[in-house]
Amino acid sequence: MSATYHILTQKNLHPAGQQEHDFSTDVLIGFSQMPKQLSSKYFYDDRGSQLFQEIMELPEYYLTSCEFEIISEQKEKISQDMAGEPFNLIEFGAGDGRKTKILLNNFLKKGFEFHYIPIDISEAAMKTLIKSMNMEFPELKTEGIVAEYFNGLKWLNNTAYRKNLVLFLGSNLGNFDKAHSRAFLHNLWNILNNGDSVVIGFDLKKDIDLMLKAYNDSKGVTAEFNLNLLRRINRELGGDFDLEKFRFYAGYDVFTGAIESYLVSLERQEVFIEKIGQSFVFDSWEPIHTEYSYKYLESDIEELAARTGFLIKKQLYDSKKYFVDSVWSVNKQNRRG
Ligand code: AVI
Protein backbone atom coordinates (compact mmCIF):
# COMPACT_ATOMS: atom_id res chain seq x y z
CA MET A 1 0.00 0.00 0.00
CA SER A 2 1.53 3.31 -1.00
CA ALA A 3 -1.20 5.61 0.29
CA THR A 4 -1.09 6.78 3.91
CA TYR A 5 -1.98 9.88 5.88
CA HIS A 6 -0.81 11.91 8.88
CA ILE A 7 -2.83 14.04 11.23
CA LEU A 8 -1.45 17.48 11.94
CA THR A 9 -2.65 18.40 15.40
CA GLN A 10 -2.12 21.79 16.96
CA LYS A 11 0.47 20.11 19.20
CA ASN A 12 2.78 18.94 16.48
CA LEU A 13 2.70 22.36 14.84
CA HIS A 14 2.99 24.69 17.81
CA PRO A 15 5.33 24.54 20.75
CA ALA A 16 3.60 24.29 24.14
CA GLY A 17 2.03 27.55 25.21
CA GLN A 18 1.61 28.74 21.65
CA GLN A 19 -1.36 26.65 20.66
CA GLU A 20 -3.94 28.06 18.34
CA HIS A 21 -7.58 28.37 19.27
CA ASP A 22 -9.52 25.17 19.70
CA PHE A 23 -13.19 24.65 18.96
CA SER A 24 -14.46 25.88 22.35
CA THR A 25 -12.37 29.07 22.20
CA ASP A 26 -13.56 29.75 18.66
CA VAL A 27 -17.19 29.24 19.73
CA LEU A 28 -16.71 31.56 22.73
CA ILE A 29 -15.12 34.26 20.55
CA GLY A 30 -17.69 33.78 17.78
CA PHE A 31 -20.67 34.02 20.14
CA SER A 32 -19.19 37.09 21.83
CA GLN A 33 -19.27 39.03 18.54
CA MET A 34 -22.05 41.06 16.96
CA PRO A 35 -23.40 39.51 14.80
CA LYS A 36 -22.60 36.15 16.38
CA GLN A 37 -20.57 33.84 14.16
CA LEU A 38 -19.19 30.32 13.77
CA SER A 39 -16.44 29.42 11.34
CA SER A 40 -17.45 27.25 8.38
CA LYS A 41 -14.28 25.19 8.93
CA TYR A 42 -16.22 23.42 11.72
CA PHE A 43 -18.82 22.10 9.24
CA TYR A 44 -16.60 19.15 8.38
CA ASP A 45 -16.97 16.56 11.12
CA ASP A 46 -17.87 13.05 9.88
CA ARG A 47 -21.56 13.87 9.43
CA GLY A 48 -20.79 17.28 7.89
CA SER A 49 -18.38 15.75 5.36
CA GLN A 50 -21.03 13.23 4.40
CA LEU A 51 -23.64 16.01 4.02
CA PHE A 52 -21.23 17.97 1.83
CA GLN A 53 -20.88 14.89 -0.43
CA GLU A 54 -24.69 14.93 -0.73
CA ILE A 55 -24.67 18.66 -1.55
CA MET A 56 -22.20 18.02 -4.39
CA GLU A 57 -24.66 15.59 -5.91
CA LEU A 58 -27.63 17.97 -5.82
CA PRO A 59 -28.77 19.18 -9.26
CA GLU A 60 -29.03 22.76 -7.90
CA TYR A 61 -25.39 22.74 -6.75
CA TYR A 62 -24.02 23.42 -10.25
CA LEU A 63 -20.45 24.10 -9.04
CA THR A 64 -19.43 20.42 -8.93
CA SER A 65 -20.77 19.41 -12.35
CA CYS A 66 -19.29 22.53 -13.99
CA GLU A 67 -15.85 21.85 -12.56
CA PHE A 68 -16.11 18.17 -13.38
CA GLU A 69 -16.74 19.13 -17.01
CA ILE A 70 -13.73 21.50 -17.02
CA ILE A 71 -11.33 18.90 -15.64
CA SER A 72 -12.65 16.09 -17.85
CA GLU A 73 -12.48 18.09 -21.05
CA GLN A 74 -9.47 20.28 -20.47
CA LYS A 75 -7.15 18.03 -18.46
CA GLU A 76 -4.51 18.24 -21.20
CA LYS A 77 -4.20 21.97 -20.62
CA ILE A 78 -3.22 21.26 -17.02
CA SER A 79 -1.02 18.25 -17.86
CA GLN A 80 0.92 20.07 -20.62
CA ASP A 81 3.28 21.93 -18.33
CA MET A 82 4.06 19.04 -16.00
CA ALA A 83 6.18 16.81 -18.27
CA GLY A 84 9.90 16.43 -17.61
CA GLU A 85 10.67 16.85 -13.91
CA PRO A 86 9.35 14.92 -10.88
CA PHE A 87 6.84 16.98 -8.91
CA ASN A 88 4.46 17.09 -5.94
CA LEU A 89 0.74 17.29 -6.68
CA ILE A 90 -0.61 19.07 -3.61
CA GLU A 91 -4.36 19.40 -3.14
CA PHE A 92 -6.15 21.57 -0.58
CA GLY A 93 -9.66 20.35 0.26
CA ALA A 94 -9.36 17.06 -1.59
CA GLY A 95 -12.73 15.70 -0.40
CA ASP A 96 -13.57 12.48 -2.25
CA GLY A 97 -11.04 13.28 -5.00
CA ARG A 98 -13.52 12.57 -7.82
CA LYS A 99 -12.31 15.43 -9.99
CA THR A 100 -8.68 14.88 -9.08
CA LYS A 101 -8.80 11.24 -10.14
CA ILE A 102 -9.29 12.36 -13.74
CA LEU A 103 -6.02 14.28 -13.53
CA LEU A 104 -4.23 11.50 -11.65
CA ASN A 105 -5.24 9.01 -14.29
CA ASN A 106 -3.99 11.29 -17.03
CA PHE A 107 -0.66 11.95 -15.27
CA LEU A 108 -0.10 8.23 -14.66
CA LYS A 109 -0.89 7.37 -18.28
CA LYS A 110 1.73 9.87 -19.37
CA GLY A 111 4.28 8.25 -17.05
CA PHE A 112 4.79 11.42 -14.95
CA GLU A 113 6.80 10.91 -11.79
CA PHE A 114 4.92 12.57 -8.91
CA HIS A 115 3.71 12.27 -5.33
CA TYR A 116 0.11 13.10 -4.48
CA ILE A 117 -0.32 15.13 -1.24
CA PRO A 118 -4.00 15.72 -0.42
CA ILE A 119 -4.72 18.06 2.51
CA ASP A 120 -8.16 17.94 4.11
CA ILE A 121 -9.67 19.08 7.39
CA SER A 122 -11.80 15.95 7.75
CA GLU A 123 -10.16 12.72 8.90
CA ALA A 124 -13.21 10.75 7.78
CA ALA A 125 -12.95 12.18 4.25
CA MET A 126 -9.19 11.49 4.24
CA LYS A 127 -9.65 7.85 5.29
CA THR A 128 -12.13 7.27 2.47
CA LEU A 129 -9.87 9.03 -0.02
CA ILE A 130 -6.78 7.03 0.98
CA LYS A 131 -8.72 3.79 0.72
CA SER A 132 -10.01 4.59 -2.74
CA MET A 133 -6.56 5.76 -3.91
CA ASN A 134 -5.07 2.43 -2.79
CA MET A 135 -7.77 0.57 -4.73
CA GLU A 136 -7.74 2.62 -7.92
CA PHE A 137 -4.11 3.67 -8.15
CA PRO A 138 -2.03 1.18 -6.13
CA GLU A 139 1.16 2.39 -7.82
CA LEU A 140 0.60 6.03 -6.79
CA LYS A 141 2.53 7.41 -3.82
CA THR A 142 -0.06 9.29 -1.75
CA GLU A 143 0.74 11.04 1.51
CA GLY A 144 -2.39 12.65 2.97
CA ILE A 145 -2.38 15.38 5.58
CA VAL A 146 -5.35 15.99 7.87
CA ALA A 147 -5.12 19.68 8.70
CA GLU A 148 -6.73 23.06 8.29
CA TYR A 149 -5.51 24.88 5.21
CA PHE A 150 -3.29 27.39 7.03
CA ASN A 151 -1.72 24.61 9.12
CA GLY A 152 -1.25 22.58 5.94
CA LEU A 153 0.76 25.49 4.55
CA LYS A 154 3.06 25.42 7.59
CA TRP A 155 3.70 21.73 6.99
CA LEU A 156 4.34 22.27 3.27
CA ASN A 157 6.95 24.83 4.10
CA ASN A 158 9.33 21.96 4.90
CA THR A 159 8.49 19.73 1.96
CA ALA A 160 7.95 21.92 -1.08
CA TYR A 161 11.53 21.58 -2.31
CA ARG A 162 10.62 20.00 -5.65
CA LYS A 163 8.49 21.34 -8.46
CA ASN A 164 4.90 21.70 -7.28
CA LEU A 165 1.43 21.74 -8.76
CA VAL A 166 -1.15 22.92 -6.23
CA LEU A 167 -4.88 22.27 -6.66
CA PHE A 168 -7.41 24.38 -4.80
CA LEU A 169 -10.60 23.31 -6.54
CA GLY A 170 -14.32 23.52 -5.81
CA SER A 171 -14.38 27.27 -5.00
CA ASN A 172 -12.93 26.40 -1.60
CA LEU A 173 -11.05 29.71 -1.61
CA GLY A 174 -14.48 31.40 -1.70
CA ASN A 175 -15.09 30.33 1.90
CA PHE A 176 -12.33 32.65 3.12
CA ASP A 177 -13.12 36.32 3.55
CA LYS A 178 -11.06 38.70 1.41
CA ALA A 179 -8.26 39.21 3.96
CA HIS A 180 -7.86 35.48 4.58
CA SER A 181 -7.82 34.57 0.89
CA ARG A 182 -5.08 37.12 0.24
CA ALA A 183 -3.14 35.92 3.28
CA PHE A 184 -3.49 32.28 2.21
CA LEU A 185 -2.34 32.95 -1.36
CA HIS A 186 0.52 35.15 -0.31
CA ASN A 187 1.66 32.52 2.18
CA LEU A 188 1.42 29.85 -0.53
CA TRP A 189 3.45 32.05 -2.90
CA ASN A 190 6.17 32.34 -0.25
CA ILE A 191 6.42 28.57 0.16
CA LEU A 192 6.39 27.67 -3.53
CA ASN A 193 9.24 27.96 -6.00
CA ASN A 194 9.41 30.32 -8.94
CA GLY A 195 7.46 28.79 -11.84
CA ASP A 196 5.37 26.37 -9.71
CA SER A 197 1.71 26.13 -10.76
CA VAL A 198 -1.53 26.57 -8.89
CA VAL A 199 -5.03 25.70 -10.17
CA ILE A 200 -7.80 27.55 -8.34
CA GLY A 201 -11.53 26.97 -8.83
CA PHE A 202 -13.66 30.14 -8.77
CA ASP A 203 -17.43 30.26 -8.90
CA LEU A 204 -18.28 33.16 -11.23
CA LYS A 205 -20.92 35.82 -10.55
CA LYS A 206 -24.08 34.95 -12.44
CA ASP A 207 -27.89 35.14 -12.27
CA ILE A 208 -28.68 35.72 -8.59
CA ASP A 209 -31.56 33.20 -8.48
CA LEU A 210 -29.32 30.47 -9.82
CA MET A 211 -26.69 31.16 -7.16
CA LEU A 212 -29.34 31.30 -4.43
CA LYS A 213 -30.87 27.97 -5.49
CA ALA A 214 -27.50 26.24 -5.10
CA TYR A 215 -27.60 27.06 -1.37
CA ASN A 216 -31.38 26.87 -0.79
CA ASP A 217 -31.77 23.37 -2.18
CA SER A 218 -35.21 21.78 -2.28
CA LYS A 219 -34.18 18.74 -0.19
CA GLY A 220 -32.89 20.90 2.66
CA VAL A 221 -29.46 19.24 2.67
CA THR A 222 -27.65 22.59 2.95
CA ALA A 223 -29.89 23.55 5.88
CA GLU A 224 -28.98 20.27 7.60
CA PHE A 225 -25.29 20.90 6.81
CA ASN A 226 -25.50 24.25 8.66
CA LEU A 227 -27.60 22.94 11.58
CA ASN A 228 -25.03 20.19 12.04
CA LEU A 229 -22.74 22.90 13.47
CA LEU A 230 -25.08 23.20 16.47
CA ARG A 231 -25.28 19.41 16.73
CA ARG A 232 -21.47 19.35 16.80
CA ILE A 233 -21.39 21.93 19.63
CA ASN A 234 -23.90 19.77 21.55
CA ARG A 235 -21.84 16.62 21.08
CA GLU A 236 -18.30 17.92 21.45
CA LEU A 237 -18.79 20.82 23.87
CA GLY A 238 -21.84 19.68 25.84
CA GLY A 239 -24.17 22.32 24.41
CA ASP A 240 -27.93 22.20 24.82
CA PHE A 241 -29.02 23.63 21.47
CA ASP A 242 -32.52 22.64 20.37
CA LEU A 243 -32.13 22.43 16.58
CA GLU A 244 -35.86 22.97 16.10
CA LYS A 245 -35.44 26.48 17.42
CA PHE A 246 -33.14 27.61 14.60
CA ARG A 247 -33.63 27.92 10.86
CA PHE A 248 -31.14 28.18 8.04
CA TYR A 249 -31.07 31.28 5.84
CA ALA A 250 -28.80 31.96 2.85
CA GLY A 251 -28.86 35.22 0.89
CA TYR A 252 -26.69 36.90 -1.74
CA ASP A 253 -25.04 40.12 -0.64
CA VAL A 254 -24.69 42.27 -3.75
CA PHE A 255 -22.08 44.48 -2.09
CA THR A 256 -19.69 41.79 -0.91
CA GLY A 257 -20.44 39.42 -3.82
CA ALA A 258 -20.92 36.45 -1.48
CA ILE A 259 -23.67 34.04 -0.61
CA GLU A 260 -23.81 34.52 3.15
CA SER A 261 -25.26 31.76 5.30
CA TYR A 262 -26.87 32.08 8.71
CA LEU A 263 -28.65 30.12 11.41
CA VAL A 264 -31.47 32.28 12.76
CA SER A 265 -32.89 31.88 16.26
CA LEU A 266 -36.68 31.47 16.06
CA GLU A 267 -37.28 32.74 19.59
CA ARG A 268 -35.49 34.39 22.48
CA GLN A 269 -33.55 31.60 24.16
CA GLU A 270 -30.60 30.88 26.42
CA VAL A 271 -28.23 28.04 25.55
CA PHE A 272 -25.73 26.58 28.02
CA ILE A 273 -22.44 25.14 26.74
CA GLU A 274 -20.81 22.96 29.37
CA LYS A 275 -17.18 23.04 28.12
CA ILE A 276 -17.29 26.83 27.98
CA GLY A 277 -19.10 26.98 31.32
CA GLN A 278 -21.36 29.74 30.11
CA SER A 279 -24.84 30.42 28.71
CA PHE A 280 -25.42 32.47 25.59
CA VAL A 281 -28.58 34.45 24.88
CA PHE A 282 -30.04 34.43 21.37
CA ASP A 283 -32.70 37.01 20.71
CA SER A 284 -35.69 36.16 18.52
CA TRP A 285 -34.62 36.40 14.87
CA GLU A 286 -31.00 36.89 15.85
CA PRO A 287 -28.63 35.46 13.20
CA ILE A 288 -25.42 33.44 13.62
CA HIS A 289 -23.20 33.92 10.59
CA THR A 290 -21.91 30.53 9.41
CA GLU A 291 -20.35 30.88 5.98
CA TYR A 292 -19.16 33.13 3.16
CA SER A 293 -19.25 31.66 -0.34
CA TYR A 294 -17.66 34.37 -2.48
CA LYS A 295 -18.47 34.66 -6.19
CA TYR A 296 -16.04 36.34 -8.59
CA LEU A 297 -15.73 38.46 -11.71
CA GLU A 298 -12.78 37.87 -14.00
CA SER A 299 -11.44 41.25 -12.89
CA ASP A 300 -11.58 40.06 -9.22
CA ILE A 301 -9.47 37.03 -10.17
CA GLU A 302 -6.96 39.18 -12.06
CA GLU A 303 -6.62 41.54 -9.11
CA LEU A 304 -6.20 38.69 -6.61
CA ALA A 305 -3.46 37.03 -8.71
CA ALA A 306 -1.59 40.30 -9.23
CA ARG A 307 -1.76 41.29 -5.54
CA THR A 308 -0.45 37.94 -4.34
CA GLY A 309 2.43 37.49 -6.81
CA PHE A 310 0.98 35.08 -9.38
CA LEU A 311 0.69 35.21 -13.16
CA ILE A 312 -2.51 33.93 -14.77
CA LYS A 313 -1.55 31.35 -17.42
CA LYS A 314 -4.89 29.91 -18.49
CA GLN A 315 -8.57 30.37 -17.74
CA LEU A 316 -10.47 27.07 -18.14
CA TYR A 317 -14.24 27.60 -18.30
CA ASP A 318 -17.16 25.18 -18.44
CA SER A 319 -19.47 25.43 -21.45
CA LYS A 320 -21.98 27.65 -19.56
CA LYS A 321 -19.24 29.90 -18.20
CA TYR A 322 -20.54 29.45 -14.65
CA PHE A 323 -17.19 28.40 -13.22
CA VAL A 324 -13.50 28.81 -14.00
CA ASP A 325 -10.41 26.82 -13.09
CA SER A 326 -7.73 29.44 -13.21
CA VAL A 327 -4.17 28.22 -13.82
CA TRP A 328 -1.57 30.47 -12.20
CA SER A 329 2.18 30.35 -11.96
CA VAL A 330 4.37 31.65 -9.17
CA ASN A 331 6.23 34.74 -10.24
CA LYS A 332 9.24 35.49 -8.06
CA GLN A 333 11.10 37.55 -10.63
CA ASN A 334 11.61 41.11 -9.39
CA ARG A 335 9.62 40.40 -6.24
CA ARG A 336 10.49 39.87 -2.64
CA GLY A 337 8.26 37.66 -0.41
C1 AVI B 1 -16.80 23.96 0.12
N1 AVI B 1 -17.44 25.18 -0.35
C2 AVI B 1 -16.83 25.69 -1.55
C3 AVI B 1 -18.91 25.10 -0.45
C4 AVI B 1 -19.50 26.43 -0.96
O1 AVI B 1 -20.16 26.40 -1.99
O2 AVI B 1 -19.27 27.45 -0.33
C5 AVI B 1 -19.54 24.72 0.87
C6 AVI B 1 -21.03 24.76 0.82
N2 AVI B 1 -21.80 25.46 1.63
C7 AVI B 1 -23.06 25.26 1.31
N3 AVI B 1 -23.11 24.49 0.24
C8 AVI B 1 -21.83 24.14 -0.08
Side-chain angles (χ1 to χ4, degrees), residues 217-260:
D217 65 277
S218 50
K219 280 195 186 159
V221 187
T222 315
E224 196 47 43
F225 180 58
N226 277 257
L227 284 163
N228 185 54
L229 267 175
L230 303 185
R231 196 173 280 127
R232 182 168 181 184
I233 295 178
N234 285 351
R235 196 186 57 244
E236 292 182 22
L237 304 180
D240 66 357
F241 277 104
D242 177 351
L243 272 57
E244 298 287 312
K245 292 186 181 164
F246 285 85
R247 65 153 282 182
F248 165 67
Y249 177 82
Y252 180 66
D253 184 326
V254 288
F255 287 104
T256 59
I259 294 280
E260 298 212 10

Side-chain angles (χ1 to χ4, degrees), residues 196-227:
D196 279 352
S197 302
V198 179
V199 183
I200 308 180
F202 292 98
D203 191 19
L204 296 169
K205 283 184 182 160
K206 62 184 71 61
D207 178 72
I208 294 177
D209 292 330
L210 248 164
M211 294 191 290
L212 282 170
K213 270 195 196 136
Y215 295 83
N216 291 287
D217 65 277
S218 50
K219 280 195 186 159
V221 187
T222 315
E224 196 47 43
F225 180 58
N226 277 257
L227 284 163

Side-chain angles (χ1 to χ4, degrees), residues 43-44 52 55 61 63 170-172 175 214-215 222 225 291-293 295:
F43 279 150
Y44 303 93
F52 184 55
I55 289 175
Y61 195 72
L63 290 80
S171 201
N172 284 337
N175 295 132
Y215 295 83
T222 315
F225 180 58
E291 189 176 46
Y292 295 102
S293 300
K295 310 299 165 192

